[in-house]
Amino acid sequence: MQGQIEGHSIWLFDYLSSHGVGKGSRSSWSLVLYFRSKKLSLPRFSLRARCGASKRGIVLESNPKFSEKHLLEGDEEALIRQLFDQTKRAFFDTHADLKVEGDGERLIVYRISGGNTWRRADPETIPRLLDEALEMLSLFQSG
């Protein structure tokens, strides 16, 4: 599904990802919102909940607790550190189940619907994800 909302181009779709093979494989559906907006000018980054004790990612020295809970990655570390100010960190601390990727005029927001399942996301979750994604989009807008 695609359209315009608040002057931004938006696409909404389901995405199935599979990991591993055989009995150890895992598949999960994600509900994805893809925004394209002239009001965005983002360095390429991704943010998701940290799994395990991996030391990968960008560490925000000003908030080590955030870096313990979230895996923030990207090539332009200085720009990404500057982008993730206290307001954005607080948003993601209260929305830890969201994953986000940004690059230039693009912002992708998604939530995995469940573990090892072939079940698609419940359509009733769309309004909540859209509200959260629009709030996030407003935090990342420039000018």
Side-chain angles (χ1 to χ4, degrees):
M1 186 172 12
Q2 71 181 60
Q4 293 276 321
I5 190 165
E6 298 180 10
H8 311 288
S9 297
I10 182 173
W11 290 262
L12 171 69
F13 54 93
D14 284 324
Y15 175 74
L16 177 64
S17 59
S18 298
H19 310 278
V21 293
K23 291 183 181 182
S25 69
R26 258 183 358 133
S27 296
S28 44
W29 284 98
S30 297
L31 185 58
V32 180
L33 286 168
Y34 172 90
F35 292 96
R36 187 167 193 122
S37 175
K38 299 276 188 208
K39 294 182 180 180
L40 293 174
S41 180
L42 300 170
R44 183 179 298 184
F45 74 91
S46 68
L47 178 75
R48 64 182 182 271
R50 188 176 289 279
C51 296
S54 170
K55 298 294 182 193
R56 291 185 359 207
I58 299 170
V59 175
L60 302 176
E61 290 85 7
S62 62
N63 191 335
K65 293 276 188 208
F66 182 86
S67 297
E68 289 173 12
K69 295 190 313 187
H70 305 277
L71 178 59
L72 179 59
E73 296 180 302
D75 294 330
E76 300 178 81
E77 290 190 24
L79 287 174
I80 294 167
R81 281 189 181 96
Q82 184 179 355
L83 179 66
F84 278 84
D85 59 21
Q86 179 57 39
T87 303
K88 291 177 193 81
R89 292 190 310 260
F91 176 86
F92 287 106
D93 277 340
T94 60
H95 297 85
D97 60 333
L98 294 178
K99 295 183 177 189
V100 62
E101 297 177 25
D103 185 13
E105 295 179 349
R106 294 173 296 280
L107 187 69
I108 303 170
V109 181
Y110 52 107
R111 175 181 287 124
I112 296 190
S113 65
N116 193 10
T117 179
W118 287 94
R119 186 184 69 225
R120 289 187 174 194
D122 182 347
E124 292 182 14
T125 65
I126 293 171
R128 177 178 161 224
L129 180 61
L130 181 59
D131 288 345
E132 292 167 334
L134 287 170
E135 182 180 353
M136 183 188 309
L137 182 66
S138 72
L139 292 175
F140 284 113
Q141 286 181 160
S142 57

